Amino acid sequence: MAKELVFGHQNPDTDAIVAAKAYAYLMNQLGYDTEAVALGEPNGETSYALDHFKAQAPRVITTAKNEVDAVMLVDHNEPQQSVADIAELNVTHVVDHHRIHDFNTSDPLYYRAEPLGCTSTILRKMFIEHDVEIPAQLAGLMLSAIISDTLLLKSPTTTEQDKTAVVALAKIADVDYETYGLEMLKAGTNLDDKSAAELIDLDAKSFTMNGHEVRVAQVNTVDIADVLKREADLRAAITEENAAKGYNLFVLLITNILNSDSEVLALGDDDSKAAVEKAFNVKLADEKANLPGVVSRKKQVVPPLTEAFN
Amino acid sequence: MAKELVFGHQNPDTDAIVAAKAYAYLMNQLGYDTEAVALGEPNGETSYALDHFKAQAPRVITTAKNEVDAVMLVDHNEPQQSVADIAELNVTHVVDHHRIHDFNTSDPLYYRAEPLGCTSTILRKMFIEHDVEIPAQLAGLMLSAIISDTLLLKSPTTTEQDKTAVVALAKIADVDYETYGLEMLKAGTNLDDKSAAELIDLDAKSFTMNGHEVRVAQVNTVDIADVLKREADLRAAITEENAAKGYNLFVLLITNILNSDSEVLALGDDDSKAAVEKAFNVKLADEKANLPGVVSRKKQVVPPLTEAFN
């Protein structure tokens, strides 16, 4: 069987890195020849998790066709979030927890999506279905991914299955998930050493919404005001990014992980900003608005924004 | 929980009808409120299976939004194969074994596809995963669907998992699957009471291939020459259909279920007919060609034809 690469989305978060490692491990146990790789370096939060469980970061790739013909995607399916040469590759497997969009194949494939908080929650079920044991180190990483995606089980994307998985994985990894989880999330909010350009690209994804190119970035913090001290720099970086990449709209979500509120900064053309106002039923003031309780890009930002553009 | 409808593709074959019944049964056992419906009347083969296991045909619908807001799809995902008002509905679940194409959602959903011979093979695994027993009647129908899709385990789409499922389901249904299967397949080849227009629509699916609208129909027979006695009528019906529906290409596959060979009749514009020649590496003579060993639209027709159009 020819080797396949397994990877998550660009600007990888903890789930994108960990799900690739977990799925590659599972598939290799099942007789496939796979390697987990990543489409970027781990962020601060992911590095904390990898260090804590003494695990290696996956090798970073920018193209895949030079190495393999076929790939497996985790934690994404939309082509613009994937490897640059995705159109030339045969996607044989997908495990994901997002909407399906612009994902077309010419052949049948394995596709497993569930509307759960985290890809790693689905993967834990797949380990059980295939009767493959999850090693303690991997359990710690998968636990970290679920904590990351669900903001310690507080995001509205959180399901009972995510909670069950966290408890079970914490037991295998032998950690107190609440203490560990808060430390890990805080490690991801240390943004002082990032430039404004790095900050708006740290956890950012592109979407096509009714012909509009939309970029939705999110930064986690324990103090929104602290991030907004750099508002002028952030605006300049976003304006530059919109011009360079041709985005109609850039939405920056600054999320307080302690109280689950977000401030949104929306820069783009007038139509797109009107869509933001419609999506969240708010009036932007100076292109900003407070969005109480909004923490999930996937569940609370992308669907209403897609709807507003349609 | 609001009621949802569960259905397979237009021009339903046995798997489209049965998978809807099986998935609706499973989901109701899991606490959902669903009803299996169909986008057309059962064909001769499906009627034989329903009669044999004393089961009811699902109610036929043409639109769904007048009844429900959300639906579950089985055995298809492409919008042009689905219910007429699919764009207005929220798809919450898909269980399928085809390529993914033009299928876009704004929300995360449950999507389970596997490259197996039949949707019912996947569904059997899901019953096992959820520890739900398959009643004998349903087992007989699911067995029929797998026999239908795999031409009694002889199609190249057949996997080890399909074989395992057939043996297990035949045991629950208490039938000799080889004897029963051949009778069921033969029941589907009785085409004498069908008009040419009905015949080319019996098991037909639409595809968009690089901007070309392509219709691929298949009829099973035990004697290809017998079907070709009606060639003039078939040509007239296809030509009329191409004009009425704006198809660039209509491919009719006449498949001998006894020896697994097919004759293809391809009517359409010159570019499209050139794509057919390229796809199968044949020269069309009088717009026809013999395709030895070709029995699977999904695995042996759609992928090479898609490739040839790209």
Side-chain angles (χ1 to χ4, degrees):
Chain A
M1 199 173 298
K3 180 180 168 176
E4 297 187 42
L5 295 178
V6 185
F7 49 85
H9 52 78
Q10 295 172 15
N11 301 317
D13 58 7
T14 302
D15 193 32
I17 300 271
V18 165
K21 287 177 79 87
Y23 198 36
Y25 178 87
L26 174 63
M27 294 308 265
N28 289 347
Q29 294 293 311
L30 298 177
Y32 288 81
D33 176 13
T34 71
E35 180 191 354
V37 293
L39 304 187
E41 298 292 342
N43 63 30
E45 177 198 277
T46 311
S47 293
Y48 180 91
L50 291 167
D51 288 349
H52 189 275
F53 293 104
K54 298 180 178 53
Q56 294 284 318
R59 179 166 67 88
V60 174
I61 63 162
T62 50
T63 59
K65 184 67 184 174
N66 51 311
E67 296 187 51
V68 294
D69 292 323
V71 297
M72 305 182 183
L73 309 184
V74 291
D75 198 29
H76 77 297
N77 65 85
E78 306 192 28
Q80 72 269 49
Q81 298 168 7
S82 197
V83 75
D85 55 353
I86 188 69
E88 297 166 51
L89 293 154
N90 181 21
V91 179
T92 63
H93 295 69
V94 179
V95 183
D96 192 17
H97 67 132
H98 296 90
R99 72 171 190 174
I100 298 178
H101 209 83
D102 290 339
F103 180 81
N104 295 306
T105 67
S106 55
D107 287 287
L109 75 162
Y110 183 96
Y111 199 109
R112 172 83 170 252
E114 299 192 36
L116 304 180
C118 182
T119 310
S120 292
T121 304
I122 304 168
L123 285 166
R124 174 180 165 267
K125 296 205 297 184
M126 294 170 67
F127 274 82
I128 294 169
E129 286 161 16
H130 289 290
D131 207 16
V132 173
E133 207 176 311
I134 305 176
Q137 183 192 59
L138 191 54
L141 296 177
M142 291 167 77
L143 170 72
S144 305
I146 303 174
I147 290 169
S148 168
D149 269 13
T150 64
L151 290 181
L152 204 34
L153 304 177
K154 286 191 301 190
S155 163
T157 57
T158 310
T159 68
E160 283 306 314
Q161 295 192 42
D162 297 301
K163 292 177 191 169
T164 304
V166 158
V167 171
L169 292 167
K171 197 171 167 192
I172 301 173
D174 194 22
V175 292
D176 175 328
Y177 75 82
E178 289 187 314
T179 311
Y180 166 74
L182 199 58
E183 285 310 307
M184 187 200 77
L185 289 176
K186 279 188 185 164
T189 66
N190 183 1
L191 308 170
D192 296 343
D193 60 341
K194 304 278 182 218
S195 70
E198 286 170 333
L199 216 143
I200 63 163
D201 197 48
L202 203 56
D203 177 13
K205 289 184 183 175
S206 297
F207 302 88
T208 305
M209 297 182 183
N210 200 15
H212 297 71
E213 297 306 316
V214 178
R215 185 81 165 170
V216 185
Q218 185 169 24
V219 293
N220 289 340
T221 180
V222 290
D223 182 2
I224 290 177
D226 190 52
V227 177
L228 284 178
K229 279 184 195 155
R230 301 167 68 179
E231 185 178 340
D233 285 352
L234 291 169
R235 283 177 176 271
I238 291 172
T239 303
E240 193 171 319
E241 189 81 348
N242 278 358
K245 304 283 172 60
Y247 300 133
N248 299 98
L249 174 67
F250 196 113
V251 172
L252 175 64
L253 210 65
I254 306 164
T255 300
N256 184 330
I257 59 167
L258 299 181
N259 70 5
S260 303
D261 282 349
S262 290
E263 181 82 12
V264 65
L265 171 63
L267 302 186
D269 57 42
D270 287 346
D271 278 5
S272 297
K273 284 189 286 191
V276 172
E277 294 190 329
K278 189 175 166 202
F280 300 109
N281 196 22
V282 292
K283 198 84 200 143
L284 290 171
D286 197 18
E287 299 170 310
K288 287 179 296 184
N290 189 248
L291 304 178
V294 171
V295 298
S296 167
R297 170 171 47 204
K298 188 175 60 164
K299 197 151 187 160
Q300 298 172 297
V301 178
V302 173
L305 203 50
T306 303
E307 190 68 29
F309 273 111
N310 286 344
Chain B
M1 202 174 297
K3 180 180 168 176
E4 298 188 41
L5 295 177
V6 185
F7 48 85
H9 51 79
Q10 295 171 15
N11 301 316
D13 58 7
T14 302
D15 192 32
I17 300 271
V18 166
K21 287 177 81 83
Y23 197 36
Y25 178 87
L26 174 62
M27 293 309 264
N28 289 346
Q29 294 294 312
L30 298 178
Y32 288 82
D33 176 13
T34 71
E35 180 191 354
V37 293
L39 304 186
E41 298 292 343
N43 62 30
E45 178 198 276
T46 310
S47 294
Y48 179 92
L50 290 167
D51 289 349
H52 191 274
F53 293 104
K54 300 180 176 51
Q56 296 283 318
R59 178 167 68 87
V60 173
I61 63 162
T62 51
T63 57
K65 183 69 184 173
N66 50 313
E67 298 188 50
V68 294
D69 292 322
V71 297
M72 304 183 184
L73 309 183
V74 291
D75 200 29
H76 77 294
N77 66 84
E78 307 192 29
Q80 73 269 49
Q81 299 168 7
S82 197
V83 74
D85 55 354
I86 187 70
E88 298 167 49
L89 293 154
N90 181 21
V91 179
T92 63
H93 294 70
V94 179
V95 183
D96 190 18
H97 67 132
H98 296 90
R99 71 169 192 176
I100 298 177
H101 210 82
D102 290 338
F103 180 80
N104 295 307
T105 68
S106 56
D107 287 286
L109 75 162
Y110 183 95
Y111 198 110
R112 173 84 170 248
E114 299 193 34
L116 305 179
C118 182
T119 310
S120 292
T121 304
I122 304 169
L123 285 166
R124 174 180 166 266
K125 295 205 298 184
M126 292 170 67
F127 274 82
I128 294 170
E129 286 161 15
H130 289 290
D131 207 17
V132 173
E133 208 176 311
I134 304 175
Q137 183 191 60
L138 191 55
L141 296 177
M142 291 167 77
L143 171 73
S144 305
I146 304 174
I147 289 168
S148 168
D149 270 12
T150 64
L151 289 180
L152 206 33
L153 304 177
K154 285 192 304 192
S155 162
T157 56
T158 311
T159 67
E160 283 305 314
Q161 295 191 42
D162 298 301
K163 293 176 190 169
T164 304
V166 159
V167 171
L169 291 166
K171 198 172 167 192
I172 300 172
D174 194 21
V175 293
D176 176 329
Y177 76 82
E178 288 186 316
T179 311
Y180 166 74
L182 200 58
E183 286 311 308
M184 185 199 78
L185 288 176
K186 278 186 187 165
T189 67
N190 183 1
L191 308 171
D192 295 345
D193 60 339
K194 304 278 180 218
S195 70
E198 286 171 333
L199 217 143
I200 63 162
D201 197 47
L202 203 58
D203 177 13
K205 288 184 185 174
S206 297
F207 301 88
T208 305
M209 297 182 183
N210 199 14
H212 296 72
E213 296 306 315
V214 178
R215 185 84 165 165
V216 184
Q218 185 168 23
V219 293
N220 289 340
T221 181
V222 291
D223 183 1
I224 289 175
D226 191 51
V227 177
L228 284 179
K229 280 182 192 154
R230 302 168 67 179
E231 184 177 339
D233 286 352
L234 290 169
R235 282 176 177 273
I238 291 171
T239 303
E240 195 172 315
E241 189 80 349
N242 279 357
K245 303 284 172 62
Y247 299 134
N248 299 96
L249 174 68
F250 196 112
V251 172
L252 175 64
L253 210 65
I254 306 165
T255 301
N256 185 328
I257 59 166
L258 300 180
N259 71 6
S260 304
D261 281 351
S262 290
E263 182 81 12
V264 65
L265 172 62
L267 301 186
D269 57 42
D270 288 345
D271 277 5
S272 296
K273 287 191 285 193
V276 172
E277 294 191 326
K278 190 175 166 201
F280 301 109
N281 196 22
V282 293
K283 197 82 199 146
L284 290 171
D286 198 18
E287 298 170 312
K288 288 180 297 185
N290 188 246
L291 304 179
V294 171
V295 298
S296 167
R297 170 171 47 205
K298 189 175 60 165
K299 194 149 186 160
Q300 297 172 297
V301 178
V302 173
L305 203 51
T306 303
E307 190 67 27
F309 272 111
N310 286 344

